[in-house]
Amino acid sequence: MRKMDEILAFNKQFVEGKEYEQYLTTNRPPEKRVVIVTCMDARLTELLPKAMNMKNGDAKIIKNAGAIITSPFGNIMRSVLVALYELHANEVFLVGHHDCGMTGIDPDEVVKHMQARGIPEHVIHTLRHSGINLYRWLTGFDSVRESVENSVDIVRNHPLLPPDTPVHGLIIHPDTGELEVVTDGYQALEARG
C-alpha cells in the first residue's frame, strides 16, 4: 500500500472511532502561552512536549532542521512574532538537541546528494550565480550549544520582539528528555534592567 493510501485509511478509522476526542482542548489561548522552536527530529515528536510538561494545545511548536533561526526576517522568526502578537504566546523557547543531524553537515555533500537524486548541474550553477548562497543556506553547525546561543541572539535582539519577552535556550537529550539550560531568558531580562 502506498504511504498516502495507508495514512488516509488509518485516518478514516481514527475519525470514525472518535480517537481525536483525547486530543480535544479548550485552551484558547493556550494555557502555557509559549512558543517553542525546535528540531524536526522524529525522536522529539512526542518526547519534547512530554519532557516540557506540554499537553496538546499548550504551546505553539515550530520545527525545522536543527532548530536554527538563520534570518531575522525569515519564516521561523515571522512565526515566532505571529505567535507572540496574535496567538497569545509571551515566552520563547529555542530547543536544540544532542546528536542532531545538522551537526557537521557538509553543504557540498548535500548538493551532491541533490544531483544524485536528479537535480541537474545547470540548476545548481544558476542558483549559485543568481545570488543564492547555497553553502550558507545548507550549512548546519559544529556545536548545538553555539547554534542555540546564535538563534537566541537573533530572537532576543530582533527589533520587533516585545521588550518584556523572555527568550530561553535549551538543549534536550533525544533519548532521556533531560533539558539543559543554555540561556535563561529571565536572567537576560533582569540584566537589561
Side-chain angles (χ1 to χ4, degrees), residues 21-171:
E21 289 179 348
Q22 65 183 315
Y23 303 105
L24 293 175
T25 180
T26 58
N27 295 348
R28 291 189 188 139
E31 188 174 314
K32 304 274 173 121
R33 298 181 62 156
V34 299
V35 58
I36 300 168
V37 177
T38 192
C39 186
M40 64 184 189
D41 189 300
R43 296 173 293 178
L44 304 182
T45 300
E46 293 185 44
L47 179 67
L48 182 129
K50 297 289 186 203
M52 294 182 74
N53 192 29
M54 301 287 168
K55 297 182 306 297
N56 195 48
D58 276 351
K60 304 298 180 194
I61 301 177
I62 304 164
K63 293 183 170 197
N64 72 2
I68 302 170
I69 297 179
T70 56
S71 170
F73 291 95
N75 278 352
I76 302 299
M77 193 62 218
R78 180 187 67 206
S79 296
V80 168
L81 291 171
V82 167
L84 291 169
Y85 283 106
E86 300 299 322
L87 305 175
H88 308 288
N90 58 18
E91 293 192 40
V92 179
F93 288 82
L94 288 120
V95 186
H97 68 95
H98 295 290
D99 190 31
C100 183
M102 291 298 286
T103 305
I105 196 166
D106 180 353
D108 291 325
E109 285 298 312
V110 176
V111 169
K112 286 178 188 173
H113 295 150
M114 290 174 176
Q115 292 172 314
R117 300 268 311 261
I119 304 300
E121 172 63 37
H122 72 85
V123 171
I124 303 299
H125 179 80
T126 300
L127 290 172
R128 283 188 170 142
H129 292 88
S130 298
I132 307 294
N133 185 340
L134 282 177
Y135 187 83
R136 182 179 183 280
W137 189 59
L138 295 171
T139 295
F141 48 79
D142 293 326
S143 162
V144 67
R145 174 175 285 281
E146 287 176 14
S147 178
V148 169
E149 289 170 347
N150 290 338
S151 292
V152 165
D153 284 344
I154 288 173
V155 176
R156 192 174 283 155
N157 295 306
H158 199 282
L160 299 176
L161 185 77
D164 59 345
T165 305
V167 181
H168 311 284
L170 303 171
I171 299 173

